[in-house]
Amino acid sequence: MAGAGYKLFSTGDVLTASDLNTYGIEQTVMVFASSSARDTALTSVKAEGMFAFLKDTDSLTYYDGSSWITVDLAGDITGITTAAASGLSGGATSGTVTLTLNLAGLTAAQNFGTDGAGVDVTLHSDSAGDYAMWDASEEKLILEGTNGATVLDVTDGNVVIGDGTLTVGSDGAGEDVTFYSDTAGDSLVWDSSAESLTITGSNGQDALVVADGDVSITDALTVTGTTTTYLNIITDSGTTRTPGLTDASAYILCTHGTGMTVTLPQDSAVAFPVGTQIIFERNGAGTLTFAAGTGATVNSKGATLTCADRYTTVAAVKIAADTWTIFGNIG
C-alpha cells in the first residue's frame, strides 16, 4: 500500500507480490493515458499518497485519500514588472531578471520607518566624510560639510522653528553669523573671534530700534557719533511721591496747588543704581519739598530741601547706596 515507507532488501530475500505492489508499484509515479484510464486501473487499490501522471494533459496528480488532486507545476512568480514612480527599472517575465535603481523615476512620496519606529537615513556627498543624516534615535538632522562651503542653502521659502532653540556653534567654540540687508554693504555681523556684534547701516537711518523694553549695558558704552536722548515726562498731581525705578532719568511735573513732598528712598526700599538722576519741576503753585526716606540721606546746599520758585527745577542724583544730592533752584 502507498505510504508503507521504505524497505531495504538483502541478497536472498524473497520478493513477494505484496512487497512488489507495496514498495514498488504503489509508491512510484504511475503513468496513464488519461484520468479515466487511471481511475479504471486503480479503482480497487487507490491509497493515500499515490502519484499518477496523465499523458493527455501532461499533469501530475496525487490521491489524498478521497480524491485525485492535480499538482500545479507552474511557478508562483510569472514575471517582475516595475511600477511607475517606484524608483526601480527593469524586470522580465522569464530568464534572469535585472532590477536597476532609478532615482529619476522616484516621484512618489517615500516613508522610512513608521510613526514611532523611525530609522536612520544617510545621504552621502562626493566628498569623503560629508553627509546629511537623519538620526532617528537622537531625533535630529545632522549636516556634515566642508569648512568654508555652504552646507544648507535655502534659496527660496521660509525656515520656521516652531519649538526649541536655534544654537550656532557651541560654548567656547562660536561661529560667525551674518545677516544681510536689502542695501549693498549693510549687514549685522556677529564676529565670534572678536566677540562683537557689528551693525552696518545707512547714514541717517535707524540701524537698531528697540520698540519696547530696556537696554542694559553692564560695562562701558562708547559713542563716537552723536546721541539723541528724550526725557520721559511724567505728570503727578499728588501731594506725595516716592520715586520708583521707572522714574529714573524722568522729568516729573509736580502740579499740586498746595505742594508736594518727594521722599528719596534708600536701597532696601527702591534699588536705584548709583548715578541715577531724576528731574523735578515745581509746576504747581504749592511748595516742592524733598525728604530723606528711612535709612537714606539727602544732601543739598545749606541743607535746604525746597524748590525756590514755580516753573523751576531741582535734580536729584543718587551718589551712593543710600545717599542722594539735590541741586538746582533750591531755596
Side-chain angles (χ1 to χ4, degrees):
M1 174 179 293
Y6 172 80
K7 181 176 181 179
L8 178 63
F9 290 90
S10 301
T11 303
D13 287 348
V14 176
L15 180 61
T16 65
S18 176
D19 287 340
L20 179 59
N21 291 332
T22 300
Y23 298 105
I25 295 175
E26 294 178 1
Q27 295 196 156
T28 62
V29 178
M30 296 169 282
V31 180
F32 297 94
S34 62
S35 60
S36 59
R38 174 200 62 196
D39 295 342
T40 299
L42 301 178
T43 298
S44 61
V45 293
K46 292 193 300 288
E48 185 177 0
M50 283 183 171
F51 274 84
F53 183 82
L54 308 180
K55 295 174 66 176
D56 61 344
T57 57
D58 286 332
S59 59
L60 180 66
T61 62
Y62 69 92
Y63 192 70
D64 67 356
S66 61
S67 62
W68 290 95
I69 306 299
T70 300
V71 178
D72 187 359
L73 298 178
D76 291 335
I77 300 176
T78 58
I80 298 178
T81 303
T82 56
S86 67
L88 296 173
S89 61
T93 57
S94 63
T96 302
V97 178
T98 301
L99 295 177
T100 304
L101 184 63
N102 177 25
L103 294 180
L106 187 61
T107 58
Q110 303 297 311
N111 291 320
F112 298 92
T114 58
D115 188 16
V119 295
D120 293 351
V121 178
T122 301
L123 304 176
H124 293 284
S125 77
D126 289 338
S127 300
D130 291 358
Y131 57 87
M133 184 180 76
W134 168 253
D135 189 321
S137 60
E138 294 291 331
E139 300 179 351
K140 65 182 179 181
L141 180 66
I142 301 172
L143 302 177
E144 183 67 38
T146 301
N147 189 28
T150 301
V151 70
L152 177 63
D153 187 356
V154 181
T155 57
D156 198 2
N158 301 322
V159 176
V160 178
I161 301 176
D163 193 7
T165 302
L166 175 63
T167 302
V168 179
S170 58
D171 189 13
E175 300 291 343
D176 294 350
V177 179
T178 302
F179 295 91
Y180 292 102
S181 78
D182 289 338
T183 302
D186 290 358
S187 61
L188 184 152
V189 178
W190 167 252
D191 188 324
S192 61
S193 59
E195 300 179 354
S196 65
L197 181 66
T198 302
I199 303 175
T200 303
S202 298
N203 189 29
Q205 292 186 344
D206 293 335
L208 176 64
V209 177
V210 181
D212 197 1
D214 301 329
V215 177
S216 297
I217 299 174
T218 302
D219 294 328
L221 172 65
T222 301
V223 179
T224 57
T226 59
T227 60
T228 302
T229 303
Y230 299 97
L231 291 174
N232 179 26
I233 306 299
I234 299 173
T235 299
D236 190 343
S237 60
T239 58
T240 62
R241 185 180 185 89
T242 298
L245 291 177
T246 56
D247 291 341
S249 301
Y251 189 99
I252 301 177
L253 298 173
C254 305
T255 62
H256 199 277
T258 60
M260 171 189 281
T261 299
V262 175
T263 301
L264 298 174
Q266 65 173 359
D267 261 2
S268 60
V270 183
F272 282 108
V274 172
T276 297
Q277 175 179 277
I278 308 172
I279 300 174
F280 297 87
E281 178 186 314
R282 180 181 166 183
N283 187 266
T287 303
L288 176 59
T289 304
F290 294 87
T294 302
T297 300
V298 177
N299 300 321
S300 67
K301 179 182 178 181
T304 301
L305 299 177
T306 55
C307 180
D309 304 297
R310 190 176 185 183
Y311 303 122
T312 62
T313 60
V314 172
V317 178
K318 186 172 183 178
I319 62 171
D322 298 315
T323 305
W324 296 78
T325 292
I326 60 173
F327 60 91
N329 188 27
I330 295 175

